[in-house]
């Protein structure tokens, strides 16, 4: 052990990202000499085959256009940058004026989004983000022209959140398109967007979105603080951000809601919550999240309220089945047979007569096989994934029962549990529920119903103590808020939901005025 510590002290440290980052090569600010600036950028982008240095002459002066061919639209470069430069260079200038970067933007370059910068690091970052840098020979500034041209997939319905009635568009991997989908539904200047770049190497754009006047100031400041504290070399998906900002990282319950649907994001923003968009991923994060968010689907608000209320109560029943059905079967058949009716206990006993394993091992093995089939169905190509999962479950279950390895009631219980898990609308929430089944199985197999009660108390205590950005996880049921219960236990009519959730929309609680209940005599002339 002493040798290992001595070796660790003597081992040379790896250089930090900032020490080897190409953005720090050369001087911090541009020079007024074009040749010197060209040398700086050629050194920075050394061994980069996709970088383009295009010289052009305008108004009797030299200029240099720098861009990455893989990130820009060549048509924008040709029509709005190079062509105007060459046309101005062909004009006869009696007294060539010293046109700097600012004058280029005003009189020559016809692109819409432009900005000026003299910082080498900023210019390199913008070039890596799809901008073209136009360098002149008259001042120490560069004109940055937005020319993004990376191809993205078209808008389509999210496969993880399909609905029968509701919008069919979903987020894609382009953050500008995703912001447009939100602004297309929320046409208000009160919708604020704050951008920050995270990732020393990926330079991923992260946008915090909220509705001013509805979202609380303390919640906005907390989200800003947690996001700004993130230090990492790269961000590839919003899941990276989620793990950095959640309150309790060891909990199986998600504390950050993720969705691919723009209508869900807008609905949450109108309740005073905050959305976090990450570039290059279609999943948008929403905070804070409560326990009841995991049991609600966007379609609940597009169908009639009695049907939506009935479906919600079905979900409450299914979440109980998904957590406790296998453990209850193991506990009752192993320790508490007197609780089962006589005819049923005889049927179960006859089916388990040839089974060589105890009930806990049977249930545990079938749960593991079911999870393996579920994972295989997801990872395999779509053409054969569903067939493998369905056929595999049927074949393995039937063969195990006929061979006498597994009893038939266990197969039935595990199948019902799997169906109940599929009924939970939020995938990340359902994943946490699936995980809870296994410790409850061990408690049921060792302590019986006492173990299940002990596990249930631990779950309730954990969920009751859990918070998401300061908001209790069980709100509005714990602590109880009677005005908000009508959107938890039931789905009340839209015209009766006068108030926003008190935990997130307290700064602007009134959603709609009273007296909007529809009536055939309401508008009848007297």
């Amino acid at each position: 052990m002493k040798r290992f510590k001595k070796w660790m002290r003597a081992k040379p440290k790896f250089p930090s990202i900032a020490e080897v980052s190409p953005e720090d090569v050369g001087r911090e600010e541009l020079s007024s000499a074009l040749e010197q600036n060209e040398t700086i950028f050629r050194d920075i982008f050394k061994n980069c085959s996709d970088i383009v240095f295009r010289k052009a002459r305008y108004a009797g002066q030299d200029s240099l256009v720098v861009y990455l061919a893989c990130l820009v639209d060549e048509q924008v470069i040709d029509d709005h940058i190079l062509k105007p430069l060459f046309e101005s260079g062909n004009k006869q200038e009696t007294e060539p004026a010293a046109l700097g970067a600012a004058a280029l933007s005003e009189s020559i370059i016809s692109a819409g989004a432009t900005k000026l910068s003299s910082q080498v690091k900023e210019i390199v970052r913008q070039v890596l983000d799809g901008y073209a840098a136009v360098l002149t020979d008259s001042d120490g500034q560069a004109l940055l022209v937005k020319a993004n041209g990376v191809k993205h997939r078209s808008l389509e319905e999210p496969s993880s959140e399909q609905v029968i009635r509701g919008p069919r568009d979903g987020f894609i991997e382009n953050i500008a398109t995703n912001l447009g989908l939100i602004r297309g539904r929320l046409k208000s200047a009160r919708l604020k967007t704050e951008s920050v770049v995270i990732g020393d190497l990926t330079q991923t754009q992260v946008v915090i979105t909220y509705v001013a006047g509805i979202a609380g100031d303390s919640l906005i400041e907390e989200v800003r603080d947690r996001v700004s504290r993130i230090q990492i070399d790269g961000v590839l998906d919003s899941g990276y951000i989620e793990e950095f900002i959640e309150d309790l990282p060891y909990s199986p319950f998600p504390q950050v809601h993720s969705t691919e649907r723009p209508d869900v994001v807008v609905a949450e923003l109108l309740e005073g919550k905050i959305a976090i968009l990450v570039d290059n991923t279609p999943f948008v994060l929403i905070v804070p999240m409560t326990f009841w968010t995991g049991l609600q689907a966007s379609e609940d608000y597009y169908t009639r309220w009695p049907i939506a209320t009935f479906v919600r109560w079905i979900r409450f029943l299914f979440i109980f089945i998904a957590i406790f059905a296998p453990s209850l079967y193991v506990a009752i058949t192993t320790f508490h047979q007197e609780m089962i009716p006589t005819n049923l206990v005889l049927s179960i006993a006859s089916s388990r007569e040839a089974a060589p394993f105890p009930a806990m091992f049977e249930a545990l093995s079938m749960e593991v096989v079911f999870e393996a089939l579920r994972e295989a169905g997801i990872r395999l190509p779509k053409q054969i994934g569903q067939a493998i999962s369905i056929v595999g479950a049927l074949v393995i279950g039937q063969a195990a029962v006929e061979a006498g390895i597994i009893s038939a009631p266990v197969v039935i219980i595990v199948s019902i549990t799997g169906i109940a898990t599929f009924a939970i609308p939020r995938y990340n929430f359902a994943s946490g529920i699936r995980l809870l089944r296994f410790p409850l199985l061990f408690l049921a197999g060792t302590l019986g119903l006492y173990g299940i009660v002990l596990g249930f108390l631990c779950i309730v205590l954990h969920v009751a103590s859990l918070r998401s950005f300061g908001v209790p996880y069980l709100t509005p049921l714990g602590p109880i808020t009677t005005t908000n219960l009508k959107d938890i236990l039931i789905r009340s009519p839209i015209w009766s939901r006068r108030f926003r959730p008190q935990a997130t929309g307290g700064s602007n609680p009134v959603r709609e005025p009273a007296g909007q209940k529809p009536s055939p005599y309401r508008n009848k002339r007297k």
Side-chain angles (χ1 to χ4, degrees), residues 150-159 168-174 177-178 181 260 282:
V150 180
K151 301 298 181 182
H152 299 281
R153 63 184 176 94
S154 59
L155 300 180
E156 56 187 16
E157 184 178 4
S159 58
R168 301 294 180 181
D169 55 345
F171 291 124
I172 61 173
E173 288 74 14
N174 182 260
T177 304
N178 295 342
L181 291 174
E260 291 184 83

Side-chain angles (χ1 to χ4, degrees), residues 3 9 30 57 92 158 198 220 304-305 326 346 407 436 449 473:
R3 291 183 179 179
R9 288 194 297 268
L30 290 178
R57 190 167 180 83
Q92 296 295 329
I198 300 178
I220 297 172
R304 292 184 53 79
W305 68 269
L346 292 175
S407 60
L436 293 175
L449 288 178
Y473 205 59

Side-chain angles (χ1 to χ4, degrees), residues 136-207:
T136 65
D137 198 16
S138 58
D139 60 358
Q141 284 189 319
L143 177 64
L144 299 171
V145 182
K146 188 173 183 180
N148 305 72
V150 180
K151 301 298 181 182
H152 299 281
R153 63 184 176 94
S154 59
L155 300 180
E156 56 187 16
E157 184 178 4
S159 58
S160 60
E161 299 177 76
Q162 293 184 354
V163 296
I164 297 177
R165 180 177 179 179
R168 301 294 180 181
D169 55 345
F171 291 124
I172 61 173
E173 288 74 14
N174 182 260
I175 193 170
T177 304
N178 295 342
L179 282 172
L181 291 174
I182 296 176
R183 284 204 176 271
R185 289 173 167 82
L186 196 52
K187 300 179 177 66
S188 173
R190 294 168 61 185
L191 177 64
K192 307 301 180 181
T193 57
E194 301 179 7
S195 180
V196 63
V197 176
I198 300 178
D200 294 333
L201 295 180
T202 59
Q203 294 289 299
T204 305
Q205 184 183 7
V206 178
V207 176

Side-chain angles (χ1 to χ4, degrees), residues 312-471:
R312 283 192 178 180
W313 281 97
I314 291 294
R315 294 193 194 118
F316 295 152
L317 174 63
F318 280 171
I319 193 174
F320 180 85
I321 294 174
I323 298 176
F324 296 105
S327 54
L328 282 173
Y329 170 80
V330 170
I332 293 175
T333 56
T334 305
F335 299 100
H336 311 282
Q337 296 89 347
E338 67 278 1
M339 297 179 61
I340 310 175
T342 304
N343 293 335
L344 181 58
V345 72
L346 292 175
S347 176
I348 294 175
S350 62
S351 64
R352 296 198 68 252
E353 184 177 1
F357 303 109
M360 186 186 76
F361 181 82
E362 287 183 335
L364 183 62
S365 60
M366 287 303 299
E367 285 288 353
V368 172
V369 170
F370 187 86
E371 293 296 329
L373 289 172
R374 184 207 301 262
E375 190 68 15
I378 295 175
R379 305 304 167 197
L380 287 172
K382 292 183 179 180
Q383 292 79 3
I384 61 175
Q386 295 181 354
I388 291 295
S389 59
I390 296 175
V391 174
L394 292 175
V395 172
I396 292 176
Q398 184 66 24
V401 172
E402 291 181 354
I405 301 176
I406 302 296
S407 60
V410 171
V411 177
I412 297 173
I413 292 295
V414 172
S415 301
I416 294 175
T417 304
I419 294 173
T421 306
F422 289 136
I424 300 175
R426 306 300 178 191
Y427 178 78
N428 58 347
F429 188 80
S431 299
I433 298 301
R434 287 159 49 192
L435 187 63
L436 293 175
R437 293 204 299 263
F438 294 96
L440 285 174
L441 270 176
F442 285 105
L443 290 173
T446 54
L447 301 176
L449 288 178
Y450 298 104
I452 295 178
V453 172
L454 178 63
F456 176 72
L457 289 177
C458 291
I459 294 173
V460 171
L461 290 175
H462 172 72
V463 174
S465 63
L466 199 60
R467 288 177 176 268
S468 175
F469 284 80
V471 177

Side-chain angles (χ1 to χ4, degrees), residues 272-335:
K273 297 183 180 181
I274 298 178
I276 303 173
L277 288 78
V278 182
D279 199 11
N280 299 317
T281 176
F283 288 92
V284 174
L285 306 179
I286 305 173
V287 294
M289 178 183 178
T290 64
F291 179 86
W292 315 106
T293 305
L295 297 175
Q296 295 175 352
S298 59
E299 196 174 9
D300 293 351
Y301 301 95
Y302 305 143
T303 57
R304 292 184 53 79
W305 68 269
I307 301 174
T309 301
F310 171 75
V311 172
R312 283 192 178 180
W313 281 97
I314 291 294
R315 294 193 194 118
F316 295 152
L317 174 63
F318 280 171
I319 193 174
F320 180 85
I321 294 174
I323 298 176
F324 296 105
S327 54
L328 282 173
Y329 170 80
V330 170
I332 293 175
T333 56
T334 305
F335 299 100

